[in-house]
Amino acid sequence: MAQFEWSESPEFTGSTKTEWMKAVPEHDFIVKKRITGLKPGTRYHYHAIFGADEKSAKAGPARS
């Protein structure tokens, strides 16, 4: 299971998250989501949150 989280803040204050998505063999265990509504000229911080299930999911490294 995976979801993506993004924010203008490096601490992810006021963040937005996608819905949970299941990584399945039919899609090579790849999850992706189109993010819309981002402001131009703005630095965003993001990471994936993933695990075997939602309860065990952990955040991956943050990027910007």
Side-chain angles (χ1 to χ4, degrees):
M1 297 299 294
Q3 69 178 170
F4 297 99
E5 179 178 30
W6 67 97
S7 175
E8 292 179 39
S9 164
E11 292 81 26
F12 290 89
T13 306
S15 69
T16 303
K17 293 179 182 176
T18 65
E19 74 279 0
W20 285 102
M21 299 169 280
K22 190 170 187 168
V24 294
E26 296 81 26
H27 295 119
D28 294 328
F29 298 100
I30 295 171
V31 294
K32 60 183 177 178
K33 181 70 176 177
R34 181 180 303 268
I35 305 298
T36 61
L38 301 178
K39 296 184 271 185
T42 303
R43 179 180 297 258
Y44 287 93
H45 303 271
Y46 63 94
H47 57 211
I49 302 169
F50 57 95
D53 55 44
E54 295 172 26
K55 290 185 179 193
S56 67
K58 304 281 187 212
R63 303 285 187 243
S64 66

